[in-house]
Amino acid sequence: MASFSEYQEYIDQGVDWVVEILPNLITAAIILVVGWWIVKFINRLVHKFFQKKDYDLALESFLQSFISIALKLLLFVLVITQLGVKSSSLVALVGAAGLAVGLALQGSLANFAGGVLILIFKPFKVGDFISAQGVDGTVKEITIFTTKLNTFGNQVAILPNGQLSNNNIINFNAEDTRRDKIDIGIGYSSNIKKAKDILLEICADQAGILKDPAPAVYVGELADSSVNLTLRFWAKNEDFWEAHFKVIEETKLRFDKAGIEIPFPQLDVHQKG
């Protein structure tokens, strides 16, 4: 059995170690507390700075998140170094941990890189209406890893930036105006010229439809049961959908009034006596 003197030796070594590390531990705790307060203070300053400046909302959100994470990592390095971990050892440790985390989080790193590409090349910005990854919606927020869309039904769709930056995107707000294309079938016995004139009159009556470029109507196809007319017109983005639905409604009402038939599938049954 160990003698009392041996236990006393272990106790003395432990006390010496605590006394030796205690100043560093206290200093590290002070650095952590003060540093955390400084990080929060800088984050508030960054937020106020972006509020005063008219920067892109996507850039603001991305940079604020990036600055916050970078400052916290820097604080972590300072605290660990103060506890006696050598810089060379810390670099090796961070490198090994970074490799392990990188292999485990390849998708997240790809999303981060995708977010950077979106901010650099700007295929869309906050407020744009886009179609991507099978989802249509208005861009609500662009963060480090994801982009949030508000859909027609006011749901929030969250798309990974990695896939978003590497696939097709349709930005409906990239230009100020949009062209609509509506196909309308009329019966073979109907007057084509009269139908075209009615469609052009409808466009002329709609304030949201642009006069230049002028609306146009063409015979697009001689189908099995109808003559298909193609109506094309231009409208500003904010007027597009109202004009689209109004033209469809007015077409049915005015064709009925003018006696122009819009064919529909039907089945004739003949009974033999």
Side-chain angles (χ1 to χ4, degrees):
M1 295 180 61
S3 62
F4 176 77
S5 60
E6 291 178 342
Y7 284 121
Q8 184 64 42
E9 182 180 352
Y10 293 144
I11 293 173
D12 291 340
Q13 290 177 355
V15 171
D16 291 339
W17 179 80
V18 170
V19 171
E20 181 181 352
I21 197 176
L22 187 59
N24 290 338
L25 190 62
I26 295 175
T27 305
I30 294 174
I31 292 175
L32 179 61
V33 173
V34 175
W36 192 262
W37 180 85
I38 292 175
V39 168
K40 293 176 66 175
F41 178 74
I42 293 176
N43 285 335
R44 287 197 296 269
L45 289 180
V46 171
H47 181 68
K48 290 180 179 179
F49 172 79
F50 281 122
Q51 282 185 326
K52 293 180 180 179
K53 302 292 183 178
D54 188 20
Y55 287 107
D56 183 9
L57 293 176
L59 181 63
E60 293 180 21
S61 176
F62 188 92
L63 287 180
Q64 287 183 51
S65 299
F66 183 80
I67 291 172
S68 177
I69 292 174
L71 290 174
K72 290 174 182 177
L73 287 176
L74 178 60
L75 177 61
F76 171 77
V77 171
L78 291 175
V79 171
I80 292 297
T81 304
Q82 184 60 40
L83 288 175
V85 179
K86 295 182 179 179
S87 300
S88 57
S89 302
L90 183 61
V91 170
L93 179 63
V94 171
L99 178 60
V101 172
L103 292 174
L105 300 176
Q106 292 184 30
S108 296
L109 294 177
N111 290 333
F112 176 79
V116 173
L117 291 176
I118 289 172
L119 289 174
I120 292 175
F121 295 105
K122 297 185 182 298
F124 55 83
K125 62 181 183 298
V126 173
D128 283 350
F129 184 85
I130 67 171
S131 178
Q133 301 293 303
V135 180
D136 299 340
T138 301
V139 179
K140 179 181 180 181
E141 184 180 5
I142 302 173
T143 64
I144 293 180
F145 299 111
T146 62
T147 294
K148 297 180 181 180
L149 305 183
N150 263 113
T151 67
F152 272 123
N154 199 33
Q155 294 107 5
V156 176
I158 302 176
L159 307 182
N161 285 338
Q163 298 179 20
L164 196 59
S165 64
N166 287 302
N167 286 279
N168 296 333
I169 300 172
I170 300 176
N171 187 341
F172 294 97
N173 291 111
E175 303 293 340
D176 293 332
T177 59
R178 290 173 60 182
R179 188 179 72 173
D180 200 1
K181 175 178 176 291
I182 301 176
D183 295 322
I184 302 163
I186 63 173
Y188 271 91
S189 60
S190 299
N191 188 318
I192 294 178
K193 185 178 184 308
K194 186 176 182 180
K196 291 173 68 175
D197 289 342
I198 290 176
L199 291 174
L200 292 176
E201 289 174 2
I202 293 173
C203 291
D205 292 342
Q206 301 304 315
I209 295 179
L210 300 177
K211 305 301 184 287
D212 184 23
V217 186
Y218 306 95
V219 177
E221 181 185 13
L222 299 176
D224 293 337
S225 58
S226 64
V227 177
N228 293 335
L229 304 179
T230 298
L231 170 64
R232 295 179 178 179
F233 62 82
W234 292 81
K236 293 183 178 180
N237 284 321
E238 58 268 24
D239 301 326
F240 180 84
W241 287 112
E242 182 179 356
H244 174 85
F245 293 124
K246 191 65 177 179
V247 165
I248 293 176
E249 179 182 350
E250 283 295 316
T251 296
K252 178 64 170 68
L253 295 174
R254 299 194 191 190
F255 274 14
D256 287 348
K257 187 175 181 179
I260 296 176
E261 177 191 4
I262 299 178
F264 57 91
Q266 54 185 335
L267 177 66
D268 294 331
V269 178
H270 300 276
Q271 181 177 4
K272 294 184 178 179

